[in-house]
Amino acid sequence: MNRNGGSLNSTDVFKNRPAIIICEAGCGTSHPLSDYLKAKGFIVNCIPESNQAIDAIITCVPDIVLLDFHLPGAGGYEVCSTIRPYFSGPILLQGQDAAETAQLLAFERGADDYIVMPVSEELMTARICAHLRRGHRLVGKVGERQIRVGELVVDEARRMVSLADHSIEMTSMQFDLLCYLVKRSGRVVSREELYEALYKEKYNGFDRSVDVYVSRIRHQLGDDAEKPNYLKTVRGVGYLLVEHEGSAR
C-alpha cells in the first residue's frame, strides 16, 4: 500500500517506512495482522493470490515478504522458490505444520524463517522487525572486508560466499549465521548464542531453526556431517567452524 492506503507500486521506494508484502488467502477479507502492521508504521500490501504476489514482489521489491503455506494457485513453497532468485530480502513462511520436514523444505526452497501458526500479531510483528533490524545492521556496514577460512571466503560487504572460487547462493539468514561462525572460527558457539545473535531475543530452549540452517549450510559447503571439513557439530555444546591453515579474519 502507499502512504495513503492505495496500491503498492514500484515508484514507492519505501524510503522511510518498512514495506511488507503478505501473501495469504485471508487477505481478501479483514486481516488483523495487516491492520496491526499498518498501526505500527508499515507499508502493507496484502495479496490473496500467489501469481499476483509473485509479480508484485519482483516488481516492487519490498523490504520483507510473508508467505502462507496454503495459497490459492501455487503454494507457499513454490512461491518462495520462484521469487528467491529475484528477491534478496527476508522471506518468512508461515504454516500450521510443525513437523521438521515441513520446516526443512521451507529453508530448502529459500525461506529465511518458518513460523508455526498460530501466533499473535504482536509476536509475528516482533519476528518481522527482528529480520529487518538484522538486514539493516549488516548490509553495507563493513566496507570491503573479506574473511577467509581455507578455501571458504565470506564477503561481508557484498554478502557473498564462495568456496574454491565457486559462488554459493545463500538466504540472508544462512549468510548471517555463517558469517557469525566464520568470525569465531576455532571456537565452539552454542545453539543459544547463535539463536540470540540471529533473532535478537532470548532462546526459548526448544526452537531448532539454528540446527536446520546449519544443516543446510553444511550441505551447500559439501561437508560430510560425520567428517566435516568446515562446519562441525560438538554434541551437547554447539557448532565449530574449523580453522584452516592460511585463514584470515
Side-chain angles (χ1 to χ4, degrees):
M1 311 293 283
N2 66 22
R3 300 180 194 283
N4 297 316
S7 297
L8 188 75
N9 59 68
S10 57
T11 60
D12 189 353
V13 192
F14 320 138
K15 293 179 181 178
N16 300 310
R17 295 164 57 192
I20 182 170
I21 288 181
I22 301 174
C23 187
E24 184 181 321
C27 280
T29 58
S30 175
H31 196 271
L33 177 61
S34 176
D35 295 339
Y36 189 89
L37 287 168
K38 290 175 188 177
K40 294 294 183 180
F42 280 76
I43 301 167
V44 182
N45 191 9
C46 200
I47 302 174
E49 197 274 326
S50 57
N51 289 330
Q52 183 184 356
I54 291 171
D55 290 340
I57 293 164
I58 294 173
T59 302
C60 302
V61 194
D63 293 294
I64 192 166
V65 170
L66 176 63
L67 302 173
D68 190 55
F69 173 78
H70 295 289
L71 288 173
Y77 291 146
E78 185 175 344
V79 173
C80 187
S81 59
T82 299
I83 65 174
R84 183 79 278 176
Y86 308 99
F87 178 70
S88 61
I91 301 173
L92 314 186
L93 200 149
Q94 65 178 30
Q96 294 185 343
D97 190 347
E100 184 175 298
T101 52
Q103 299 182 53
L104 279 169
L105 184 56
F107 295 123
E108 289 173 0
R109 294 297 180 90
D112 294 286
D113 201 358
Y114 182 96
I115 300 169
V116 179
M117 302 298 286
V119 299
S120 67
E121 287 79 29
E122 184 177 8
L123 179 55
M124 180 68 83
T125 300
R127 296 296 286 266
I128 290 168
C129 289
H131 280 277
L132 290 173
R133 283 196 304 271
R134 186 178 60 257
H136 291 158
R137 185 178 68 252
L138 290 175
V139 174
K141 180 179 178 181
V142 187
E144 297 299 320
R145 187 177 177 204
Q146 291 186 344
I147 305 173
R148 180 181 296 274
V149 178
E151 293 186 301
L152 176 66
V153 178
V154 176
D155 187 324
E156 290 186 287
R158 296 181 177 85
R159 294 180 67 78
M160 296 173 62
V161 177
S162 64
L163 180 65
D165 296 324
H166 294 286
S167 179
I168 299 175
E169 290 189 11
M170 291 191 172
T171 67
S172 59
M173 184 72 84
Q174 290 167 0
F175 179 89
D176 292 345
L177 191 150
L178 178 61
C179 191
Y180 192 89
L181 287 171
V182 165
K183 289 180 179 179
R184 294 157 181 81
S185 61
R187 175 169 80 82
V188 178
V189 181
S190 69
R191 179 190 293 115
E192 179 180 4
E193 180 181 341
L194 284 169
Y195 182 93
E196 294 179 1
L198 291 174
Y199 292 108
K200 298 302 174 187
E201 60 185 46
K202 190 74 174 176
Y203 181 51
N204 58 21
F206 302 102
D207 193 298
R208 289 295 180 268
S209 59
V210 167
D211 301 338
V212 175
Y213 291 131
V214 168
S215 176
R216 180 58 180 162
I217 292 169
R218 183 180 283 137
H219 175 75
Q220 289 175 290
L221 297 180
D223 252 2
D224 182 343
E226 297 300 321
K227 296 181 179 179
N229 189 37
Y230 284 97
L231 193 46
K232 180 179 180 181
T233 300
V234 181
R235 298 194 182 281
V237 183
Y239 297 100
L240 170 70
L241 202 294
V242 180
E243 285 191 310
H244 289 65
E245 185 177 350
S247 298
R249 284 181 286 167

